[in-house]
Amino acid sequence: AKGIFAFNSDRDAAECAAYVYFGMAYERPDSSLILPTGRSAALLFRAMVRLAKKYAECPFGETQIISDTETFGVWSGHETSRTRHIMDALIEPLARIGKAPADDQLHLLSGVYMKDDPIKEAQKLIRNYPPSVHAVSVSPIGEILAYEVGTYQDIHEILYDAPRILEVGEHSKKYIDPNQPSKSIISIGLGTALSSEVLLILAFDAQKSNILRRLLLGPMTAGIPATLLRNHSNAFILTTERAAIDAGINHLALENKNSKEAAEWIISQ
């Protein structure tokens, strides 16, 4: 990683990520921002809503906003839809305080084929608006973006993936959401994540200490997809001091624990 930040709390770590999104939106108005949809996303969205009050207008500026995964076969209002979670936890709270992005900026992945092909639409958007920042939520065992642990053998099989549909096993389905009716997930693609100008690796809680240690000190393998994030030349790990200590990597963390200052440093790299 280009930098490891071990904050005093998950709240501070989430605020750093939010400041990076807002700062990159200002720096790169003709780009896209890819939002995470894992368990860390809820903390990030709450941080975004809190910090948005400090901005005169919508802190996302004119950038295009994409989600990184969606359950295939469900409509956007379904209880297991990632789009619904983003709308409920982020967009609608921002709208209530007058800070929401415009409707034509939102391109959240669709799990339903209607008039348009959601895969082709995502691919086109990414070509026209290259991603400036993507925060990837890492599971405790190393699953990312619906790429399961133990499923893939060849790094190059998935390293350059554009948006695609992934099939997950029953174990991963239970981990992601035991209530979802489908084992198919539309993913933005590992290659898309690795093409973002800034990659944020989110590991907010102590349960992720083992995968943090593996990310930095273990071998890179397709069997643990999260380790492939090391291919990104501008990746930053945002975690907590407790998780970093448990992972045995606290000595590698940068000294700055101020979320805004850390975000400014990340954007400047």
Side-chain angles (χ1 to χ4, degrees):
K2 195 167 186 179
I4 303 170
F5 290 92
F7 294 97
N8 294 325
S9 68
D10 53 8
R11 182 183 176 98
D12 291 338
E15 286 192 355
C16 177
Y19 276 126
V20 173
Y21 269 96
F22 294 160
M24 291 299 291
Y26 176 80
E27 294 280 343
R28 305 284 189 273
D30 295 321
S31 69
S32 61
L33 305 173
I34 303 181
L35 297 176
T37 51
R39 295 185 178 185
S40 300
L43 282 169
L44 173 59
F45 296 161
R46 287 199 291 269
M48 286 178 165
V49 174
R50 285 196 306 274
L51 299 180
K53 299 173 184 177
K54 298 183 179 182
Y55 294 79
E57 298 177 346
C58 172
F60 286 118
E62 300 175 2
T63 51
Q64 308 301 302
I65 300 171
I66 314 172
S67 51
D68 67 12
T69 52
E70 175 60 298
T71 306
F72 183 66
V74 304
W75 70 293
S76 60
H78 192 273
E79 63 176 6
T80 62
S81 167
R82 275 79 165 162
T83 291
R84 175 174 173 176
H85 179 236
I86 292 174
M87 295 300 295
D88 289 349
L90 178 63
I91 304 303
E92 291 177 7
L94 287 176
R96 288 195 287 270
I97 60 174
K99 308 293 183 181
D103 290 344
D104 60 5
Q105 289 176 252
L106 292 176
H107 306 275
L108 307 181
L109 293 179
S110 170
V112 180
Y113 278 82
M114 300 290 283
K115 179 179 67 175
D116 299 315
D117 182 331
I119 301 295
K120 291 182 179 179
E121 288 297 304
Q123 291 172 345
K124 179 181 178 182
L125 183 70
I126 291 165
R127 284 196 303 269
N128 292 335
Y129 299 93
S132 62
V133 60
H134 184 182
V136 175
S137 179
V138 181
S139 83
I141 60 173
E143 178 267 338
I144 52 169
L145 304 169
Y147 288 85
E148 278 190 285
V149 171
T151 300
Y152 307 96
Q153 303 299 321
D154 183 0
I155 289 175
H156 296 283
E157 178 187 356
I158 59 177
L159 193 60
Y160 306 106
D161 273 356
R164 59 173 290 194
I165 296 175
L166 299 173
E167 301 294 326
V168 299
E170 197 64 32
H171 175 76
S172 289
K173 176 184 171 183
K174 290 178 181 178
Y175 177 79
I176 295 169
D177 188 337
N179 297 316
Q180 69 180 28
S182 171
K183 292 193 291 184
S184 299
I185 307 291
I186 291 183
S187 172
I188 203 69
L190 178 59
T192 303
L194 294 175
S195 73
S196 63
E197 188 172 349
V198 172
L199 180 68
L200 303 178
I201 301 173
L202 307 183
F204 293 159
D205 59 75
Q207 289 183 342
K208 300 183 179 181
S209 59
N210 286 335
I211 190 60
L212 272 179
R213 181 165 56 248
R214 185 67 185 265
L215 274 171
L216 291 167
L217 306 177
M220 187 170 62
T221 169
I224 303 179
T227 62
L228 303 188
L229 298 178
R230 282 155 53 178
N231 281 279
H232 199 291
S233 61
N234 204 31
F236 302 86
I237 292 176
L238 305 185
T239 187
T240 62
E241 188 172 24
R242 179 187 171 189
I245 290 173
D246 289 349
I249 63 168
N250 197 45
H251 64 290
L252 300 175
L254 299 172
E255 294 183 2
N256 195 332
K257 296 183 185 298
N258 180 286
S259 58
K260 187 174 183 180
E261 291 177 1
E264 290 171 349
W265 186 84
I266 289 171
I267 294 169
S268 71
Q269 297 306 298

